[in-house]
Amino acid sequence: MRRRVILDVDTGSDDAVAIIAALLSPELEVLGITTVNGNRCVEYTTENTLRIVELMGSKVPVYKGCGYPIRSTLAGYRPGVPRRENVKEHEIHGNFLEMCPPSTILPQEQDAVTWLVDTLMETENPITIVPVGPLTNIANAISIEPRIVKGIHEIIHMGGGYLYGNKTAAAEYNEWIDPEACQMVLNAGVPMTFVPLDATHAAYMTIEDAKQIQAIDTPVTDVVAELILQRIKGYTLFQDIGVEDAAPIHDALCIMALLDETVLQEVIPAHCQVDLGGSVAYGETIFDIKNGRRLRREASNCSVALSADRDKYVNMMYETFCLSREMG
């Protein structure tokens, strides 16, 4: 039986690779894709998502979601939040996925949060949600109708960091954008696994990996290879991960974990709290790890993957993208 999933995305380069991987995987039934403000404003992330869905020739519906975080960009609350329309060409994510033409398809008329509530309330078989951007849509859906948690099998979330931050020294970008949303989802009691920077940085891809994917020689793999190379260029210039000519493709690791959970390593039950205080640590995910240094000894409310099997990840990605040869 195919695993029923919902993707929640803020589509930039790594989200795009994750969407392609999910739509190619015969083990997954993607019920819908919801978009959210994150890498770029929700208008741009929605357009980018539609471009990828159209590239894949997919009929999976796309639902436009929340345009603003729950609190963190309120005027005067947190100064210095970047205006995402002012993007430098050398950044890891541009405004649009230029390797894909503008979309000719449209998002659904229903908004993402309402669709999530309706879908999760009506399902007889719980659904896996894979949010790879800020958790704004999920938190708002739970806030509107807490009973939807019964319709969620689990959440596999790319976000947070144990030893690493990337937006600040403390915080990973998705949680920095909307930390209140992350805490709201944690408080809801849904089974949740974090795939944080600790795991995604371990599962980096290299220029050689990109060339091998490009050698599959399909329109889809041409796009995937270009996205990976774009990320490698950006990371080489601005976010060195200590490996030459390499970059993490964060979000796709969640998709590979759906196919084979052993691609994640050191998966540990933890109690997580998110820093909401507005200080330099704002958005930090603080994992109090079971059987380790547990100061407050609260019950675990999530699991966190502290590493990943890079060789398995790269091989799984290659095998998944080979399936694009079968596309009509």
Side-chain angles (χ1 to χ4, degrees):
M1 183 175 177
R2 298 168 73 195
R3 186 168 187 173
R4 301 166 76 234
V5 302
I6 293 170
L7 306 182
D8 187 71
V9 299
D10 59 334
T11 301
S13 53
D14 53 336
D15 308 72
V17 175
I19 294 168
I20 292 169
L23 293 178
L24 284 172
S25 299
E27 302 92 334
L28 304 180
E29 180 184 1
V30 181
L31 303 178
I33 305 175
T34 54
T35 65
V36 71
N37 167 78
N39 286 315
R40 292 293 176 264
C41 65
V42 72
E43 289 76 17
Y44 294 174
T45 64
T46 303
E47 166 62 18
N48 286 334
T49 302
L50 293 168
R51 291 186 185 193
I52 294 300
V53 170
E54 192 162 10
L55 169 74
M56 300 299 293
S58 174
K59 301 299 184 184
V60 170
V62 174
Y63 299 86
K64 180 180 173 183
C66 296
Y68 294 95
I70 287 169
R71 185 187 181 198
S72 61
T73 54
L74 292 176
Y77 181 68
R78 186 177 65 183
V81 174
R83 293 177 58 85
R84 291 180 184 79
E85 62 269 30
N86 296 332
V87 179
K88 297 178 182 178
E89 292 181 359
H90 58 238
E91 288 187 358
I92 293 168
H93 302 283
N95 280 338
F96 296 109
L97 301 178
E98 300 293 348
M99 65 287 300
C100 296
S103 65
T104 63
I105 58 176
L106 297 173
Q108 301 298 303
E109 290 186 7
Q110 188 177 34
D111 68 89
V113 173
T114 305
W115 179 77
L116 285 168
V117 171
D118 288 348
T119 302
L120 294 168
M121 286 296 291
E122 294 169 3
T123 186
E124 295 181 0
N125 300 310
I127 298 165
T128 297
I129 301 181
V130 188
V132 293
L135 287 164
T136 315
N137 288 335
I138 315 301
N140 277 301
I142 292 172
S143 179
I144 289 168
E145 180 48 88
R147 291 178 297 172
I148 66 171
V149 298
K150 294 180 181 180
I152 302 174
H153 175 65
E154 65 176 324
I155 292 175
I156 310 294
H157 173 46
M158 190 282 120
Y162 179 54
L163 297 179
Y164 297 95
N166 62 358
K167 180 57 188 179
T168 69
E172 180 274 330
Y173 185 85
N174 288 338
E175 266 51 281
W176 180 83
I177 286 289
D178 200 343
E180 286 80 14
C182 185
Q183 189 63 58
M184 288 169 66
V185 175
L186 283 165
N187 291 348
V190 183
M192 183 170 177
T193 297
F194 281 87
V195 180
L197 297 176
D198 310 75
T200 62
H201 281 202
Y204 58 84
M205 298 191 78
T206 65
I207 289 177
E208 185 59 35
D209 298 328
K211 289 180 177 179
Q212 288 181 355
I213 290 171
Q214 191 170 40
I216 298 169
D217 195 23
T218 69
V220 169
T221 55
D222 286 347
V223 169
V224 170
E226 187 172 347
L227 288 165
I228 294 171
L229 291 171
Q230 174 184 315
R231 292 185 62 80
I232 290 171
K233 180 180 179 181
Y235 269 80
T236 298
L237 291 172
F238 299 105
Q239 288 190 39
D240 179 29
I241 61 170
V243 180
E244 188 174 355
D245 294 331
I249 316 299
H250 304 289
D251 299 342
L253 183 56
C254 292
I255 305 303
M256 297 301 106
L258 293 176
L259 305 178
D260 184 347
E261 63 184 11
T262 65
V263 73
L264 301 179
Q265 295 188 332
E266 298 181 58
V267 182
I268 300 173
H271 184 86
C272 181
Q273 294 283 332
V274 186
D275 189 297
L276 308 177
S279 71
V280 293
Y282 187 60
E284 179 181 10
T285 45
I286 303 163
F287 294 101
D288 196 4
I289 292 178
K290 188 175 182 179
N291 298 325
R293 181 173 171 268
R294 302 185 71 221
L295 299 181
R296 299 182 65 182
R297 304 194 180 279
E298 285 128 326
S300 299
N301 60 0
C302 66
S303 295
V304 56
L306 299 182
S307 189
D309 184 332
R310 188 188 107 77
D311 290 341
K312 176 174 284 190
Y313 176 63
V314 172
N315 289 336
M316 289 179 69
M317 291 277 277
Y318 180 81
E319 291 172 3
T320 298
F321 295 125
C322 279
L323 297 174
S324 66
R325 292 171 174 158
E326 302 173 13
M327 293 174 58

